Structure formats: C-alpha cells, structure tokens
Amino acid sequence: MADLTDVEARVLSAVDERWAVDRLAAMIAVPSVGGTAAESEVQHLLAGWLDELGCDVDCWPVDLAEAATAADAPGQEVVRTEAWGVVGTVGGEGAPALVLSGHTDVVPPGDPALWAGDPFVPRIADGAVYGRGACDMKAGVVASLAAVHALRAAGVRLVRPLALHGVIGEEDGGLGAWATLRRGHTGDLCVIPEPTAQAVVTANAGALTFRLEITGHAAHAAMRDRGVSAVELFAHVHAGLIAYEAERQRDADPRFGDARFPYGISIGRVQAGDWASSVPDRLVAEGRYGVRVGEPVETAKAALERRLAEISAGHPWLAEHPVRLTWTGGAFASGQLPAGHRLLDDVRAAVTDAGGPLPGEGAVAAGSDLRQYAAAGIPTLHYGPGDLHLAHGPLEQVPITELVTAARAFALLALRTCGVR
C-alpha cells in the first residue's frame, strides 16, 4: 500500500457501508428485467440518486426506431416500448477523465422455487446481499454511487469531471451503452464494475446469438423408418458443433486461465415437432457462439457458417437439405484494454490502497459493454464486486466487504485520475 494523502484518507473514511447497502437493496427490489417497465423504473431511480449527489444529470429516452435500423446498433433480444439512458457527471470542466459504467437491467429469475425467497426481495445474510441483480451488476453501480457519495461527504472538488453511466440492455446486446456513446458521453478512461471475483479483467470474448433450422421428413411414428427425424438430425449437428467448439478453445488467450470454454458454443433453446405420434419434420435451435479475443465478428460468423456447411455435406440427408443458419438478437464483439496501458496498474493500486487484495489480471468469456467503449477509443477494463459464477442463478449474492472495497477503490481512482482542486 502507498502512503495516502490527507484527502485520500478523508475520502476513504467517508465511504458509508450502510448507505451503500441500503441503495443496493432498493435497486434489487426493482425487478428490472430487460424489456419490462421496471427496466425504465430503475433508470429513473438512479437518475434521482445522481441528482441528490449533486451531479449534472442527463436522462433521456433512447430512440428505439434508430436503434432498430442503425448499422452499428448492437441488436436486441427482447421487445421494448421504451428505454432510458442516464448519465451523471460531477466536478471539474471539460471531458470526463474517468467513466464508471454499469448496467441496471437483469435477466429473469427463473424458477422462483429454487430461490431461498423472492428473488426481488433483497436478503442480507452471512455478510452478503442476496437477490437477482445483486452482483450482476447492481452492486457495481452502487459502488460507483458510493464513491461519489464519499467524495461529496469529504468536501472534495475534482479538477476534471467524473461520469457515471447507467445503461440498460447490456444483457441482450448493449443497447444502453451504444445509445450513451452515440449521445456523445465519452471520457478518457472507463471502468465497468462487472463482478470480477476480485480480479481485474482486461479482455472479454465476444458472443453472437444464432438460430438453426433443420428440416426432416414427417411420417407416422408407427412407421418412423419412413420418415427422417429432425431431432435425430440435430443430434448429428450438435455432435459436430461440440467437436468444433473444442477446436476453437485451442491457443486461447492466457488471461482466461483455467476456463474450459472461453469461446463456448451453447444451445439454449430447442423446439421440434407438432404431434407426439409423428416423426418431427422441423427443429429450431437457438444458441450462443463465442468470439475469440481479437477476432472480427464477420470472421467468426463466416467460420461457423463454413463448419455447418461441412457438417451438412457429411450427412446423406443434410447434404440435400442443409442446416439453415441465421444470426439473431444481440451481437457482442470481443474487446480488450491496450497492452501495457496504465489503467491496469492504476486500478490495482487503488484496490490495494483501499484495503483489498492485489487483483490478478484475467479475461472473461462473457460478452460485455467493454467492447463498445474500447471501440470508441476509450481504454476500458472490468473491476467490481461479486463473482460472475453466481450471476444468472438462484444463489446470486455479493459480499458486503467487496461492495465497500470497490467503492473505496473507485473513490481513490477518481481522485488520482480526475485530480483535486
């Protein structure tokens, strides 16, 4: 740990655990599943808090018609009738020296019976806050807010602005970050407080959503040999995809560590047939396809298209009735912090000086908004409270100690990046 200045020590002392936990609980209680009215509700809640903290707040309706037609739009997987962007800026003049960007949308909770209680009723137990969105990533958003709260409580005035971006639609493509950058909200550096299990993530794989359509031949189930089952054809296709997935993991970026599938291929939904006593003549499967770090999206798409053509060509029926592939929903390119950029060391120093363990460097297999900020020329990385392994599941939680450490680290990073008057 470095010796803290008097201002830094004062700001760290001003980080208020109870304030942060209360606001995290309030955010979890808003069931902001993508595409629901609550997705907008949580953005207005955030805007109100930013206003209370003395930020200049920009809260605007996202142009969904433009998002549906713009060539560079990231795509969406849910239907929206409205969407809101929120940016709060505090301190100084000119462009923000630092951006903290976090998404407020969450995925559906799944079967409520698998949770210990209502997933949208926050629960505090064993030093952690439980609930849908607790770590992915409302804790990161609240840690950013708590840093601003501490700066204000300590009476600090920044030389350059600090900006907080509250974005929606991250879980289904990144609509909010796209709209925020398109509106002109940028900065010199960006930290996205996604849950990183106390590491610093400097790269993320991309992810593309796809649909497969397989055509068979219907027949009475009592004479199934007269038909061609689309389900059995899919078994052949799926086996080929599993083999292809294994090939794509070779020579993965070492920052992924021991991750088995940094560029995974997963089938998430399958629908086939329309009658139990008929041989199914059609199957539709939807899935997710990982994009390698540094691999252009179009290159990744072409590679899967070629492999599916090869899989079809090697089967007597599919050679005449090839699998149909379409690209649907969100499209996440890969992204990474430029090699050797100082932001990695600056974040590490802020974390250790805030009382946390020295973060290792890693990469994450999940798509994220990192690639949008990076593509806009803003050096970006992930660091935030919680563990992504618990996200999207019924055990989602965030340790309160990690929430507080992140808030303290963000406050120090803001002081050191934006400067103090």
Side-chain angles (χ1 to χ4, degrees):
M1 292 179 61
D3 291 333
L4 299 177
T5 67
D6 290 342
V7 172
E8 290 175 342
R10 191 167 76 246
V11 169
L12 289 188
S13 296
V15 173
D16 188 330
E17 176 181 312
R18 176 45 54 191
W19 189 94
V21 171
D22 287 348
R23 276 146 190 80
L24 177 55
M27 286 198 84
I28 292 171
V30 181
S32 51
V33 174
T36 67
E39 188 181 40
S40 295
E41 179 187 347
V42 77
Q43 287 287 84
H44 290 293
L45 176 66
L46 176 60
W49 287 342
L50 289 167
D51 183 62
E52 290 174 6
L53 290 171
C55 296
D56 292 326
V57 180
D58 184 13
C59 182
W60 75 96
V62 175
D63 187 337
L64 293 176
E66 181 185 35
T69 57
D72 64 340
Q76 302 174 62
E77 296 183 17
V78 299
V79 176
R80 291 182 172 88
T81 57
E82 68 171 12
W84 289 82
V86 175
V87 171
T89 308
V90 62
E93 298 177 353
L98 176 65
V99 172
L100 300 173
S101 176
H103 70 84
T104 59
D105 60 307
V106 300
V107 299
D111 184 355
L114 299 177
W115 291 77
D118 187 322
F120 293 110
V121 174
R123 181 171 60 92
I124 299 175
D126 303 320
V129 182
Y130 291 75
R132 172 55 83 230
C135 74
D136 190 16
M137 61 169 291
K138 291 179 176 179
V141 173
V142 168
S144 303
L145 286 168
V148 175
H149 179 263
L151 293 170
R152 184 185 185 197
V156 170
R157 297 178 60 199
L158 300 175
V159 176
R160 294 276 307 280
L162 165 67
L164 272 64
H165 294 184
V167 301
I168 55 87
E170 191 274 347
E171 295 289 3
D172 69 304
L175 170 67
W178 173 82
T180 298
L181 292 165
R182 195 175 184 85
R183 193 168 172 85
H185 289 293
T186 61
D188 292 353
L189 303 169
C190 178
V191 172
I192 299 178
E194 289 275 9
T196 58
Q198 302 186 78
V200 175
V201 169
T202 56
N204 73 283
L208 307 176
T209 308
F210 64 87
R211 177 184 293 119
L212 304 179
E213 297 177 57
I214 297 176
T215 301
H217 182 73
H220 194 293
M223 295 168 283
R224 70 181 186 88
D225 57 312
R226 302 289 182 93
V228 179
S229 168
V231 172
E232 294 179 16
L233 293 173
F234 176 67
H236 171 79
V237 173
H238 189 256
L241 289 177
I242 293 297
Y244 178 52
E245 178 189 51
E247 293 176 19
R248 284 185 62 82
Q249 310 317 303
R250 296 173 187 164
D251 301 318
D253 191 301
R255 285 173 289 185
F256 286 107
D258 60 359
R260 289 186 62 196
F261 301 110
Y263 312 119
I265 302 174
S266 176
I267 301 297
R269 186 158 55 181
V270 177
Q271 182 177 6
D274 55 13
W275 192 254
S277 294
S278 295
V279 173
D281 60 359
R282 185 171 184 268
L283 180 145
V284 177
E286 295 175 321
R288 179 260 195 204
Y289 171 59
V291 179
R292 295 174 63 90
V293 172
E295 178 183 37
V297 166
E298 292 306 317
T299 300
K301 287 182 176 180
L304 181 58
E305 290 162 2
R306 285 194 303 271
R307 179 52 58 97
L308 283 169
E310 294 170 2
I311 292 171
S312 294
H315 186 279
W317 176 268
L318 292 175
E320 299 296 326
H321 309 83
V323 177
R324 182 184 176 196
L325 167 67
T326 52
W327 299 101
T328 62
F332 291 88
S334 68
Q336 59 183 323
L337 181 74
H341 196 280
R342 68 177 178 85
L343 183 59
L344 172 59
D345 289 338
D346 288 351
V347 170
R348 280 174 156 167
V351 172
T352 55
D353 291 345
L358 178 65
E361 182 183 3
V364 65
S368 85
D369 284 334
L370 185 157
R371 97 284 188 186
Q372 297 204 64
Y373 286 89
I378 304 171
T380 304
L381 54 72
H382 291 181
Y383 170 77
D387 188 337
L388 192 62
H389 290 103
L390 296 174
H392 295 207
L395 300 178
E396 185 172 2
Q397 61 183 274
V398 62
I400 293 173
T401 56
E402 291 186 22
L403 171 66
V404 173
T405 297
R408 288 164 59 90
F410 295 155
L412 285 181
L413 186 66
L415 291 172
R416 295 168 180 178
T417 304
C418 300
V420 180
R421 291 186 186 277

